């Protein structure tokens, strides 16, 4: 007597789950057009307005010097606001990360070069500050694949003192007020160099740590 075994039932293929296309579905979900990036754009647009006001009448008109100071003050305030809004409301974008430092350096560089062109600030001071900012920017690109170096407290003080010093130089101050402006700029210059050296040391340490075997 032979036993007839049932034929095996063929298994149904399990449909594969759709995998989202990383190109079609970008990781960044924050809209580029937001209030934080808008403030950064405003700061960039104010740079040529500020430069024109500063150089108007070769810097000899008191009214235009005050206008330049007002535009610089507004642009500087947007620097603080856009960063706070981006972090507090989750509006950080890649575009904002790139545009924010560009806007900062454009504003500071225009102010320093303009003041030196008007013989209100020695060119060597402008050269030291701009060389430091350019050097640190290049250094960031040099170590970016190894990590990001956070801004130090000294760097924040440096930025604050630079802003205050530039603001004072923009105003047509005389006598002891002009001396105060020079002292503030001197303090800003010292912090600019000191924080630059500190950043170089930390960048080199980061590269050594990344290359050393774990």
């Amino acid at each position: 007597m032979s036993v007839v075994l049932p034929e095996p039932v063929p298994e149904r293929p399990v449909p594969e789950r759709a995998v989202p296309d990383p190109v079609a579905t970008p990781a960044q979900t924050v809209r580029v057009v937001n209030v934080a990036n808008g403030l950064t754009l405003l700061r960039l647009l104010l740079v040529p307005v500020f430069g024109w006001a500063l150089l108007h009448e070769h810097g000899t008109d008191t009214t235009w010097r005050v206008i330049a100071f007002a535009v610089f003050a507004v642009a500087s305030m947007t620097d603080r606001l856009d960063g706070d809004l981006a972090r507090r409301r989750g509006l950080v974008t890649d575009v904002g990360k790139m545009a924010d430092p560009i806007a900062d350096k454009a504003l500071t560089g225009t102010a320093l070069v303009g003041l030196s062109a008007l013989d209100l600030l020695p060119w060597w001071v402008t050269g030291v500050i701009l060389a430091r900012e350019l050097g640190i920017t290049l250094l960031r690109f040099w170590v970016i694949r190894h990590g990001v170096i956070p801004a130090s407290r000294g760097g924040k003080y440096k930025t604050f003192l630079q802003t205050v010093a530039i603001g004072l130089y923009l105003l047509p101050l005389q006598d002891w007020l002009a001396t105060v402006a020079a002292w503030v700029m001197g303090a800003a210059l010292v912090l600019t160099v000191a924080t630059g050296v500190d950043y170089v040391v930390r960048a080199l340490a980061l590269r050594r740590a990344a290359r050393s075997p774990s």
Side-chain angles (χ1 to χ4, degrees), residues 160-183:
F160 173 75
L161 280 180
Q162 280 186 2
T163 303
V164 173
I166 291 173
L168 292 175
Y169 267 83
L170 291 174
L171 293 171
L173 303 179
Q174 297 179 355
D175 302 328
W176 66 273
L177 289 175
T179 303
V180 170
W183 277 102

Side-chain angles (χ1 to χ4, degrees), residues 97-131:
K97 291 178 182 178
M98 294 176 59
D100 186 68
I102 293 175
D104 296 342
K105 289 174 176 55
L107 180 63
T108 302
T110 300
L112 292 172
V113 172
L115 289 171
S116 294
L118 295 174
D119 292 328
L120 300 173
L121 182 69
W123 275 106
W124 69 267
V125 174
T126 295
V128 169
I129 295 177
L130 294 185

